[in-house]
Amino acid sequence: MKVVFVVDAYFPRYAAVEKCAKNLVDVLLREGHEVTVIAKRYWDSPVNLTDDLPEDVLFVSTSLSKMRAQVDCHLAEASCCFGWRLADRACALVNYFGTLAGRSCAHWDLVEAYRKAIEELGFVPDQLVPCSSPFEGVIACVEYSKQHPEVKLTPVIFDQFADSGTLCKTRFTRELKRKANIAVEREALEASNLVLNVTWDEHVRKYHPDCSGKLVHIEHPLLVRPKENLQSSDKRGDGRSLVIFAGSLSAGVRDPAVALDIFCELEDVAHLDMYVMGAGRDLVQPKSSEHPNAVSLLDAVPSSEMTSLLAKADCLLSIGNTRSDQKPSKVVEYMATGKPILHICSIADDPVRDDVSAYPLGCVINAGEDAVCARETVRAFLERTRGKQMAFDEVSALFHDEDPEIAVERLLNCGGAPPHSRDLL
């Protein structure tokens, strides 16, 4: 069967959604399917088709994304250059005003770029699997399937659209575009055979209750057996536990303040290495400067190096989101290592809380609890679990739904193509 995935970033960069997509692709390839991935081109994307992957990968661009790629390329070489930083902000403003100008939050130029790439594949896919974000990929697949109703459409929704705090950065934008965004979601649901999702159930029940029957719940398909030995050792040579956080941070979304306060008081038993990307580095820098013996701010590492990085840790730090309708995938990657996991909840209904609580080497701290109590809980946890590690098969037996093979089984279990209705945009 010929399966086409539509994603945002891909090789050599894999954000959370694309890591999930890549795991699904790998399972499909092992099962003998032909897989093509259509992704958005970034500054470090291959110029042409890459021979580094068994799947075919095509990259698309818009006028703005081409400009943004050039700016990012210069920033990678000279990140402190004021001119290129200003150009980066200018691109962000252009993108924001483009969102405001459109009927919905979707950008039609990106929709067209994806749709055209599917049209020019030279074959009609048996199944289209757009993975949000971006939702433009979902829209493009809906538009394509209107002309090819025999194609099975099975979006995999990891992120919100109408209720996205990332896409709609302000309440004004979210409310201004809500009606149109809901309409876009509606047609995507109507056009799809099945919709696999992680946290979209409640939203669909509220706004599209008659489409709830198409939803199939999955967990993040990131529980993959590591390819190398992940046994840690005393890398620092001082007897302290090495705790690692690797990912993105954002004020108001995923804030490290509580974690930093805890570890700044635990430098006698632990050192926290924070590999942070983007603007979130500014949230860590003051504490790392004031307490260098407790916290280190380090550059983010590419996905290809993540396993080796996590292998160094005695404990892995997870920081919860401030919204319950988006479930961070990082904790599943952490579980695959078998290492102890410390998770700090920002909200009472944190969607990761139960997973970490069920993990035998897990510890959950609530952001609002007494600081001294939280610190001593972490201290005891680090001392109790230092040097301990679960075998992958033990973790897999406990968290079966996070296995990519389970998600692929559900992905392929879809019926005939549904009828199409009105235009999306």
Side-chain angles (χ1 to χ4, degrees), residues 221-283:
L222 290 169
L223 199 63
V224 178
R225 186 184 299 274
K227 296 180 180 179
E228 57 189 91
N229 184 5
L230 298 182
Q231 287 292 338
S232 60
S233 60
D234 187 4
K235 299 292 182 180
R236 305 193 64 83
D238 57 12
R240 295 184 296 164
S241 294
L242 176 60
V243 182
I244 288 179
F245 171 88
S248 61
L249 297 170
S250 177
V253 177
R254 188 180 300 140
D255 197 313
V258 172
L260 292 172
D261 288 343
I262 288 174
F263 282 97
C264 284
E265 298 294 329
L266 290 177
E267 63 180 64
D268 59 319
V269 296
H271 185 94
L272 174 62
D273 281 352
M274 302 201 72
Y275 295 82
V276 183
M277 64 182 71
R281 295 174 61 85
D282 294 338
L283 301 175

Side-chain angles (χ1 to χ4, degrees), residues 22-207:
K22 174 59 176 167
N23 288 342
L24 300 181
V25 167
D26 288 343
V27 172
L28 287 166
L29 289 171
R30 288 200 302 269
E31 294 182 356
H33 300 285
E34 298 177 35
V35 182
T36 301
V37 178
I38 300 175
K40 186 177 174 183
R41 180 178 295 283
Y42 284 84
W43 70 273
D44 54 353
S45 301
V47 176
N48 298 309
L49 293 175
T50 176
D51 294 327
D52 297 319
L53 298 171
E55 65 270 27
D56 291 330
V57 183
L58 304 175
F59 296 95
V60 303
S61 299
T62 65
S63 297
L64 178 58
S65 71
K66 289 178 182 177
M67 185 183 306
R68 189 66 177 264
Q70 291 180 354
V71 172
D72 288 343
C73 183
H74 287 288
L75 282 174
E77 297 173 354
S79 59
C80 295
C81 177
F82 175 77
W84 289 115
R85 288 171 68 91
L86 186 62
D88 175 69
R89 292 299 86 206
C91 288
L93 282 173
V94 171
N95 183 70
Y96 178 70
F97 284 119
T99 302
L100 286 179
R103 178 171 172 265
S104 72
C105 284
H107 291 254
W108 184 250
D109 53 350
L110 183 55
V111 172
E112 281 296 292
Y114 280 130
R115 188 195 60 77
K116 184 177 179 181
I118 304 172
E119 289 281 3
E120 295 178 351
L121 285 173
F123 62 87
V124 176
D126 296 301
Q127 188 165 355
L128 288 171
V129 186
C131 299
S132 67
S133 61
F135 211 83
E136 283 87 350
V138 179
I139 299 170
C141 289
V142 171
E143 292 294 308
Y144 177 86
S145 62
K146 288 178 181 179
Q147 306 303 317
H148 303 275
E150 72 278 16
V151 176
K152 294 177 181 178
L153 176 59
T154 53
V156 182
I157 306 297
F158 294 103
D159 298 300
Q160 307 297 315
F161 180 59
D163 281 340
S164 172
T166 303
L167 177 64
C168 307
K169 295 185 182 300
T170 64
R171 180 178 294 274
F172 169 76
T173 308
R174 187 157 52 248
E175 295 307 321
L176 178 67
K177 304 290 182 178
R178 176 174 292 278
K179 185 176 181 180
N181 288 343
I182 292 292
V184 169
E185 293 177 344
R186 176 75 184 185
E187 188 164 3
L189 285 162
E190 290 178 347
S192 300
N193 298 84
L194 289 177
V195 179
L196 278 64
N197 83 101
V198 178
T199 60
W200 219 31
D201 304 77
E202 184 176 345
H203 176 86
V204 172
R205 282 195 297 268
K206 180 178 180 180
Y207 292 102

